[in-house]
mmCIF file of all heavy atoms in Angstrom:
data_model
loop_
_atom_site.group_PDB
_atom_site.id
_atom_site.type_symbol
_atom_site.label_atom_id
_atom_site.label_comp_id
_atom_site.label_asym_id
_atom_site.label_seq_id
_atom_site.Cartn_x
_atom_site.Cartn_y
_atom_site.Cartn_z
ATOM 1 N N SER M 1 -71.955 48.419 25.455
ATOM 2 C CA SER M 1 -71.597 47.296 26.332
ATOM 3 C C SER M 1 -70.148 47.416 26.796
ATOM 4 O O SER M 1 -69.845 47.219 27.971
ATOM 5 C CB SER M 1 -71.808 45.972 25.608
ATOM 6 O OG SER M 1 -73.140 45.804 25.250
ATOM 7 N N ILE M 2 -69.270 47.742 25.864
ATOM 8 C CA ILE M 2 -67.858 47.931 26.217
ATOM 9 C C ILE M 2 -67.703 49.090 27.188
ATOM 10 O O ILE M 2 -66.931 49.009 28.161
ATOM 11 C CB ILE M 2 -67.007 48.126 24.947
ATOM 12 C CG1 ILE M 2 -66.934 46.816 24.153
ATOM 13 C CG2 ILE M 2 -65.607 48.632 25.285
ATOM 14 C CD1 ILE M 2 -66.291 46.942 22.790
ATOM 15 N N SER M 3 -68.438 50.176 26.995
ATOM 16 C CA SER M 3 -68.365 51.332 27.900
ATOM 17 C C SER M 3 -68.832 50.968 29.298
ATOM 18 O O SER M 3 -68.213 51.367 30.291
ATOM 19 C CB SER M 3 -69.218 52.484 27.363
ATOM 20 O OG SER M 3 -68.744 52.925 26.130
ATOM 21 N N VAL M 4 -69.923 50.221 29.409
ATOM 22 C CA VAL M 4 -70.429 49.811 30.719
ATOM 23 C C VAL M 4 -69.410 48.918 31.427
ATOM 24 O O VAL M 4 -69.143 49.094 32.621
ATOM 25 C CB VAL M 4 -71.795 49.099 30.563
ATOM 26 C CG1 VAL M 4 -72.190 48.383 31.839
ATOM 27 C CG2 VAL M 4 -72.861 50.095 30.155
ATOM 28 N N ILE M 5 -68.824 48.001 30.709
ATOM 29 C CA ILE M 5 -67.807 47.117 31.298
ATOM 30 C C ILE M 5 -66.590 47.935 31.726
ATOM 31 O O ILE M 5 -66.055 47.742 32.825
ATOM 32 C CB ILE M 5 -67.414 46.003 30.311
ATOM 33 C CG1 ILE M 5 -68.582 45.036 30.130
ATOM 34 C CG2 ILE M 5 -66.167 45.261 30.777
ATOM 35 C CD1 ILE M 5 -68.397 44.041 29.009
ATOM 36 N N PHE M 6 -66.155 48.871 30.897
ATOM 37 C CA PHE M 6 -65.006 49.711 31.238
ATOM 38 C C PHE M 6 -65.281 50.535 32.486
ATOM 39 O O PHE M 6 -64.433 50.630 33.382
ATOM 40 C CB PHE M 6 -64.664 50.636 30.065
ATOM 41 C CG PHE M 6 -63.585 51.630 30.379
ATOM 42 C CD1 PHE M 6 -62.262 51.228 30.465
ATOM 43 C CD2 PHE M 6 -63.908 52.954 30.611
ATOM 44 C CE1 PHE M 6 -61.265 52.140 30.771
ATOM 45 C CE2 PHE M 6 -62.921 53.870 30.929
ATOM 46 C CZ PHE M 6 -61.593 53.468 31.003
ATOM 47 N N LEU M 7 -66.466 51.137 32.587
ATOM 48 C CA LEU M 7 -66.798 51.945 33.765
ATOM 49 C C LEU M 7 -66.891 51.089 35.025
ATOM 50 O O LEU M 7 -66.487 51.530 36.108
ATOM 51 C CB LEU M 7 -68.097 52.713 33.525
ATOM 52 C CG LEU M 7 -67.999 53.844 32.505
ATOM 53 C CD1 LEU M 7 -69.365 54.464 32.264
ATOM 54 C CD2 LEU M 7 -67.004 54.905 32.952
ATOM 55 N N ALA M 8 -67.396 49.875 34.898
ATOM 56 C CA ALA M 8 -67.460 48.984 36.060
ATOM 57 C C ALA M 8 -66.059 48.601 36.535
ATOM 58 O O ALA M 8 -65.780 48.599 37.739
ATOM 59 C CB ALA M 8 -68.270 47.735 35.712
ATOM 60 N N VAL M 9 -65.175 48.300 35.594
ATOM 61 C CA VAL M 9 -63.791 47.968 35.946
ATOM 62 C C VAL M 9 -63.089 49.178 36.557
ATOM 63 O O VAL M 9 -62.361 49.052 37.547
ATOM 64 C CB VAL M 9 -63.033 47.435 34.705
ATOM 65 C CG1 VAL M 9 -61.545 47.353 34.959
ATOM 66 C CG2 VAL M 9 -63.573 46.086 34.307
ATOM 67 N N LEU M 10 -63.312 50.359 36.005
ATOM 68 C CA LEU M 10 -62.709 51.584 36.543
ATOM 69 C C LEU M 10 -63.205 51.854 37.961
ATOM 70 O O LEU M 10 -62.419 52.212 38.846
ATOM 71 C CB LEU M 10 -63.018 52.774 35.630
ATOM 72 C CG LEU M 10 -62.443 54.114 36.054
ATOM 73 C CD1 LEU M 10 -60.916 54.075 36.011
ATOM 74 C CD2 LEU M 10 -62.971 55.217 35.153
ATOM 75 N N HIS M 11 -64.502 51.680 38.191
ATOM 76 C CA HIS M 11 -65.057 51.892 39.530
ATOM 77 C C HIS M 11 -64.449 50.906 40.526
ATOM 78 O O HIS M 11 -64.095 51.278 41.646
ATOM 79 C CB HIS M 11 -66.576 51.748 39.487
ATOM 80 C CG HIS M 11 -67.233 51.953 40.808
ATOM 81 N ND1 HIS M 11 -67.337 53.186 41.403
ATOM 82 C CD2 HIS M 11 -67.790 51.071 41.669
ATOM 83 C CE1 HIS M 11 -67.931 53.062 42.565
ATOM 84 N NE2 HIS M 11 -68.216 51.783 42.755
ATOM 85 N N MET M 12 -64.307 49.646 40.123
ATOM 86 C CA MET M 12 -63.707 48.649 41.007
ATOM 87 C C MET M 12 -62.234 48.980 41.286
ATOM 88 O O MET M 12 -61.760 48.831 42.408
ATOM 89 C CB MET M 12 -63.834 47.255 40.396
ATOM 90 C CG MET M 12 -63.707 46.179 41.428
ATOM 91 S SD MET M 12 -64.052 44.513 40.864
ATOM 92 C CE MET M 12 -65.476 44.661 39.871
ATOM 93 N N TYR M 13 -61.529 49.445 40.267
ATOM 94 C CA TYR M 13 -60.128 49.830 40.442
ATOM 95 C C TYR M 13 -60.008 50.990 41.431
ATOM 96 O O TYR M 13 -59.171 50.952 42.341
ATOM 97 C CB TYR M 13 -59.544 50.219 39.078
ATOM 98 C CG TYR M 13 -58.162 50.802 39.149
ATOM 99 C CD1 TYR M 13 -57.050 49.990 39.382
ATOM 100 C CD2 TYR M 13 -57.943 52.171 38.990
ATOM 101 C CE1 TYR M 13 -55.783 50.518 39.453
ATOM 102 C CE2 TYR M 13 -56.682 52.713 39.065
ATOM 103 C CZ TYR M 13 -55.605 51.884 39.288
ATOM 104 O OH TYR M 13 -54.354 52.422 39.366
ATOM 105 N N LEU M 14 -60.842 52.016 41.285
ATOM 106 C CA LEU M 14 -60.805 53.150 42.210
ATOM 107 C C LEU M 14 -61.177 52.726 43.626
ATOM 108 O O LEU M 14 -60.577 53.182 44.598
ATOM 109 C CB LEU M 14 -61.738 54.269 41.730
ATOM 110 C CG LEU M 14 -61.262 55.042 40.512
ATOM 111 C CD1 LEU M 14 -62.319 56.038 40.063
ATOM 112 C CD2 LEU M 14 -59.956 55.761 40.805
ATOM 113 N N LYS M 15 -62.149 51.851 43.742
ATOM 114 C CA LYS M 15 -62.543 51.364 45.064
ATOM 115 C C LYS M 15 -61.383 50.632 45.735
ATOM 116 O O LYS M 15 -61.126 50.821 46.928
ATOM 117 C CB LYS M 15 -63.755 50.444 44.923
ATOM 118 C CG LYS M 15 -64.401 50.071 46.212
ATOM 119 C CD LYS M 15 -65.676 49.297 45.954
ATOM 120 C CE LYS M 15 -66.312 48.889 47.254
ATOM 121 N NZ LYS M 15 -67.552 48.156 47.052
ATOM 122 N N ASN M 16 -60.652 49.819 44.968
ATOM 123 C CA ASN M 16 -59.484 49.124 45.524
ATOM 124 C C ASN M 16 -58.386 50.097 45.906
ATOM 125 O O ASN M 16 -57.726 49.926 46.935
ATOM 126 C CB ASN M 16 -58.964 48.089 44.536
ATOM 127 C CG ASN M 16 -59.842 46.870 44.458
ATOM 128 O OD1 ASN M 16 -60.594 46.581 45.384
ATOM 129 N ND2 ASN M 16 -59.786 46.166 43.350
ATOM 130 N N ILE M 17 -58.160 51.127 45.092
ATOM 131 C CA ILE M 17 -57.159 52.152 45.430
ATOM 132 C C ILE M 17 -57.541 52.849 46.736
ATOM 133 O O ILE M 17 -56.700 53.065 47.606
ATOM 134 C CB ILE M 17 -57.036 53.191 44.289
ATOM 135 C CG1 ILE M 17 -56.455 52.558 43.054
ATOM 136 C CG2 ILE M 17 -56.253 54.413 44.728
ATOM 137 C CD1 ILE M 17 -54.975 52.654 42.901
ATOM 138 N N TYR M 18 -58.823 53.205 46.883
ATOM 139 C CA TYR M 18 -59.285 53.877 48.100
ATOM 140 C C TYR M 18 -59.161 52.965 49.311
ATOM 141 O O TYR M 18 -58.819 53.413 50.400
ATOM 142 C CB TYR M 18 -60.721 54.358 47.938
ATOM 143 C CG TYR M 18 -60.883 55.511 46.972
ATOM 144 C CD1 TYR M 18 -62.115 55.912 46.533
ATOM 145 C CD2 TYR M 18 -59.788 56.209 46.483
ATOM 146 C CE1 TYR M 18 -62.274 56.970 45.650
ATOM 147 C CE2 TYR M 18 -59.923 57.254 45.598
ATOM 148 C CZ TYR M 18 -61.170 57.633 45.189
ATOM 149 O OH TYR M 18 -61.318 58.675 44.333
ATOM 150 N N GLN M 19 -59.444 51.668 49.134
ATOM 151 C CA GLN M 19 -59.285 50.740 50.251
ATOM 152 C C GLN M 19 -57.824 50.616 50.664
ATOM 153 O O GLN M 19 -57.514 50.564 51.856
ATOM 154 C CB GLN M 19 -59.857 49.368 49.890
ATOM 155 C CG GLN M 19 -61.359 49.334 49.875
ATOM 156 C CD GLN M 19 -61.909 47.993 49.452
ATOM 157 O OE1 GLN M 19 -61.176 47.079 49.093
ATOM 158 N NE2 GLN M 19 -63.225 47.863 49.479
ATOM 159 N N MET M 20 -56.924 50.584 49.697
ATOM 160 C CA MET M 20 -55.490 50.528 50.030
ATOM 161 C C MET M 20 -55.062 51.800 50.748
ATOM 162 O O MET M 20 -54.295 51.743 51.715
ATOM 163 C CB MET M 20 -54.661 50.315 48.770
ATOM 164 C CG MET M 20 -54.765 48.919 48.205
ATOM 165 S SD MET M 20 -53.638 48.517 46.854
ATOM 166 C CE MET M 20 -53.723 49.914 45.782
ATOM 167 N N GLU M 21 -55.543 52.952 50.306
ATOM 168 C CA GLU M 21 -55.202 54.224 50.959
ATOM 169 C C GLU M 21 -55.748 54.256 52.383
ATOM 170 O O GLU M 21 -55.064 54.670 53.312
ATOM 171 C CB GLU M 21 -55.751 55.395 50.142
ATOM 172 C CG GLU M 21 -55.512 56.745 50.774
ATOM 173 C CD GLU M 21 -54.045 57.129 50.865
ATOM 174 O OE1 GLU M 21 -53.225 56.617 50.087
ATOM 175 O OE2 GLU M 21 -53.708 57.952 51.741
ATOM 176 N N LEU M 22 -56.982 53.808 52.556
ATOM 177 C CA LEU M 22 -57.582 53.775 53.887
ATOM 178 C C LEU M 22 -56.786 52.865 54.814
ATOM 179 O O LEU M 22 -56.436 53.254 55.932
ATOM 180 C CB LEU M 22 -59.034 53.304 53.802
ATOM 181 C CG LEU M 22 -59.718 53.028 55.138
ATOM 182 C CD1 LEU M 22 -59.891 54.318 55.917
ATOM 183 C CD2 LEU M 22 -61.056 52.345 54.917
ATOM 184 N N ARG M 23 -56.480 51.670 54.356
ATOM 185 C CA ARG M 23 -55.719 50.739 55.197
ATOM 186 C C ARG M 23 -54.328 51.262 55.495
ATOM 187 O O ARG M 23 -53.815 51.089 56.599
ATOM 188 C CB ARG M 23 -55.648 49.379 54.522
ATOM 189 C CG ARG M 23 -56.976 48.680 54.522
ATOM 190 C CD ARG M 23 -56.927 47.376 53.814
ATOM 191 N NE ARG M 23 -58.253 46.755 53.828
ATOM 192 C CZ ARG M 23 -58.627 45.836 53.004
ATOM 193 N NH1 ARG M 23 -57.791 45.370 52.095
ATOM 194 N NH2 ARG M 23 -59.837 45.328 53.067
ATOM 195 N N SER M 24 -53.723 51.934 54.548
ATOM 196 C CA SER M 24 -52.407 52.529 54.770
ATOM 197 C C SER M 24 -52.489 53.626 55.833
ATOM 198 O O SER M 24 -51.639 53.695 56.725
ATOM 199 C CB SER M 24 -51.876 53.094 53.453
ATOM 200 O OG SER M 24 -50.702 53.816 53.651
ATOM 201 N N GLN M 25 -53.499 54.482 55.745
ATOM 202 C CA GLN M 25 -53.661 55.530 56.751
ATOM 203 C C GLN M 25 -53.955 54.943 58.126
ATOM 204 O O GLN M 25 -53.439 55.434 59.137
ATOM 205 C CB GLN M 25 -54.783 56.484 56.340
ATOM 206 C CG GLN M 25 -54.413 57.419 55.234
ATOM 207 C CD GLN M 25 -55.501 58.430 54.947
ATOM 208 O OE1 GLN M 25 -56.422 58.627 55.731
ATOM 209 N NE2 GLN M 25 -55.385 59.096 53.810
ATOM 210 N N MET M 26 -54.773 53.897 58.163
ATOM 211 C CA MET M 26 -55.087 53.272 59.455
ATOM 212 C C MET M 26 -53.842 52.627 60.062
ATOM 213 O O MET M 26 -53.604 52.750 61.267
ATOM 214 C CB MET M 26 -56.204 52.243 59.281
ATOM 215 C CG MET M 26 -57.560 52.862 59.017
ATOM 216 S SD MET M 26 -58.854 51.662 58.677
ATOM 217 C CE MET M 26 -59.003 50.829 60.239
ATOM 218 N N ARG M 27 -53.040 51.934 59.243
ATOM 219 C CA ARG M 27 -51.799 51.328 59.752
ATOM 220 C C ARG M 27 -50.830 52.399 60.245
ATOM 221 O O ARG M 27 -50.187 52.232 61.289
ATOM 222 C CB ARG M 27 -51.144 50.475 58.678
ATOM 223 C CG ARG M 27 -51.722 49.104 58.536
ATOM 224 C CD ARG M 27 -50.842 48.190 57.694
ATOM 225 N NE ARG M 27 -50.543 48.761 56.390
ATOM 226 C CZ ARG M 27 -51.257 48.568 55.294
ATOM 227 N NH1 ARG M 27 -52.333 47.829 55.344
ATOM 228 N NH2 ARG M 27 -50.897 49.110 54.147
ATOM 229 N N PHE M 28 -50.706 53.506 59.504
ATOM 230 C CA PHE M 28 -49.798 54.574 59.908
ATOM 231 C C PHE M 28 -50.240 55.181 61.242
ATOM 232 O O PHE M 28 -49.421 55.383 62.148
ATOM 233 C CB PHE M 28 -49.732 55.654 58.825
ATOM 234 C CG PHE M 28 -48.896 56.828 59.209
ATOM 235 C CD1 PHE M 28 -47.515 56.726 59.271
ATOM 236 C CD2 PHE M 28 -49.480 58.045 59.511
ATOM 237 C CE1 PHE M 28 -46.738 57.813 59.635
ATOM 238 C CE2 PHE M 28 -48.717 59.136 59.882
ATOM 239 C CZ PHE M 28 -47.339 59.022 59.940
ATOM 240 N N ALA M 29 -51.536 55.480 61.365
ATOM 241 C CA ALA M 29 -52.041 56.059 62.613
ATOM 242 C C ALA M 29 -51.855 55.090 63.775
ATOM 243 O O ALA M 29 -51.425 55.488 64.867
ATOM 244 C CB ALA M 29 -53.515 56.436 62.457
ATOM 245 N N ALA M 30 -52.150 53.815 63.542
ATOM 246 C CA ALA M 30 -51.982 52.820 64.604
ATOM 247 C C ALA M 30 -50.521 52.708 65.011
ATOM 248 O O ALA M 30 -50.205 52.645 66.204
ATOM 249 C CB ALA M 30 -52.514 51.460 64.145
ATOM 250 N N GLU M 31 -49.621 52.696 64.030
ATOM 251 C CA GLU M 31 -48.190 52.588 64.346
ATOM 252 C C GLU M 31 -47.702 53.795 65.147
ATOM 253 O O GLU M 31 -46.923 53.645 66.089
ATOM 254 C CB GLU M 31 -47.384 52.430 63.059
ATOM 255 C CG GLU M 31 -45.945 52.067 63.279
ATOM 256 C CD GLU M 31 -45.753 50.747 64.006
ATOM 257 O OE1 GLU M 31 -46.543 49.812 63.812
ATOM 258 O OE2 GLU M 31 -44.789 50.652 64.786
ATOM 259 N N CYS M 32 -48.161 54.984 64.801
ATOM 260 C CA CYS M 32 -47.782 56.186 65.566
ATOM 261 C C CYS M 32 -48.277 56.095 67.012
ATOM 262 O O CYS M 32 -47.524 56.354 67.955
ATOM 263 C CB CYS M 32 -48.358 57.439 64.906
ATOM 264 S SG CYS M 32 -47.535 57.918 63.392
ATOM 265 N N ILE M 33 -49.546 55.733 67.183
ATOM 266 C CA ILE M 33 -50.115 55.626 68.529
ATOM 267 C C ILE M 33 -49.414 54.524 69.314
ATOM 268 O O ILE M 33 -49.069 54.700 70.488
ATOM 269 C CB ILE M 33 -51.640 55.384 68.454
ATOM 270 C CG1 ILE M 33 -52.353 56.589 67.829
ATOM 271 C CG2 ILE M 33 -52.210 55.104 69.837
ATOM 272 C CD1 ILE M 33 -53.822 56.355 67.517
ATOM 273 N N ILE M 34 -49.168 53.382 68.682
ATOM 274 C CA ILE M 34 -48.504 52.258 69.352
ATOM 275 C C ILE M 34 -47.109 52.659 69.824
ATOM 276 O O ILE M 34 -46.731 52.395 70.968
ATOM 277 C CB ILE M 34 -48.445 51.027 68.417
ATOM 278 C CG1 ILE M 34 -49.832 50.422 68.250
ATOM 279 C CG2 ILE M 34 -47.454 49.996 68.928
ATOM 280 C CD1 ILE M 34 -49.928 49.408 67.131
ATOM 281 N N GLN M 35 -46.333 53.287 68.948
ATOM 282 C CA GLN M 35 -44.970 53.680 69.327
ATOM 283 C C GLN M 35 -44.979 54.688 70.469
ATOM 284 O O GLN M 35 -44.150 54.606 71.382
ATOM 285 C CB GLN M 35 -44.226 54.261 68.124
ATOM 286 C CG GLN M 35 -43.821 53.231 67.099
ATOM 287 C CD GLN M 35 -42.918 52.162 67.700
ATOM 288 O OE1 GLN M 35 -41.982 52.443 68.444
ATOM 289 N NE2 GLN M 35 -43.216 50.917 67.369
ATOM 290 N N ASP M 36 -45.907 55.640 70.438
ATOM 291 C CA ASP M 36 -45.958 56.641 71.508
ATOM 292 C C ASP M 36 -46.412 56.034 72.828
ATOM 293 O O ASP M 36 -45.882 56.373 73.883
ATOM 294 C CB ASP M 36 -46.859 57.813 71.104
ATOM 295 C CG ASP M 36 -46.207 58.700 70.053
ATOM 296 O OD1 ASP M 36 -44.962 58.675 69.933
ATOM 297 O OD2 ASP M 36 -46.934 59.425 69.351
ATOM 298 N N ILE M 37 -47.386 55.140 72.794
ATOM 299 C CA ILE M 37 -47.821 54.478 74.036
ATOM 300 C C ILE M 37 -46.716 53.563 74.552
ATOM 301 O O ILE M 37 -46.444 53.508 75.753
ATOM 302 C CB ILE M 37 -49.128 53.689 73.809
ATOM 303 C CG1 ILE M 37 -50.302 54.649 73.622
ATOM 304 C CG2 ILE M 37 -49.406 52.749 74.984
ATOM 305 C CD1 ILE M 37 -51.612 53.967 73.296
ATOM 306 N N LYS M 38 -46.054 52.851 73.656
ATOM 307 C CA LYS M 38 -45.011 51.900 74.050
ATOM 308 C C LYS M 38 -43.884 52.592 74.819
ATOM 309 O O LYS M 38 -43.372 52.055 75.794
ATOM 310 C CB LYS M 38 -44.444 51.224 72.798
ATOM 311 C CG LYS M 38 -43.612 50.001 73.082
ATOM 312 C CD LYS M 38 -43.053 49.409 71.812
ATOM 313 C CE LYS M 38 -44.142 48.703 71.048
ATOM 314 N NZ LYS M 38 -43.622 47.995 69.862
ATOM 315 N N HIS M 39 -43.513 53.782 74.408
ATOM 316 C CA HIS M 39 -42.386 54.481 75.040
ATOM 317 C C HIS M 39 -42.837 55.594 75.982
ATOM 318 O O HIS M 39 -42.027 56.448 76.352
ATOM 319 C CB HIS M 39 -41.466 55.049 73.959
ATOM 320 C CG HIS M 39 -40.894 53.996 73.071
ATOM 321 N ND1 HIS M 39 -39.981 53.069 73.509
ATOM 322 C CD2 HIS M 39 -41.143 53.682 71.778
ATOM 323 C CE1 HIS M 39 -39.673 52.246 72.524
ATOM 324 N NE2 HIS M 39 -40.370 52.594 71.456
#
């Protein structure tokens, strides 16, 4: 039971890390495109 709970928490933690990485990459790409179009 403890192992199942630990693996579920670990999976949720990794999913949150991946979502933060994805959003960071999307913001970076958008900022690059925005700055280049703006100027």
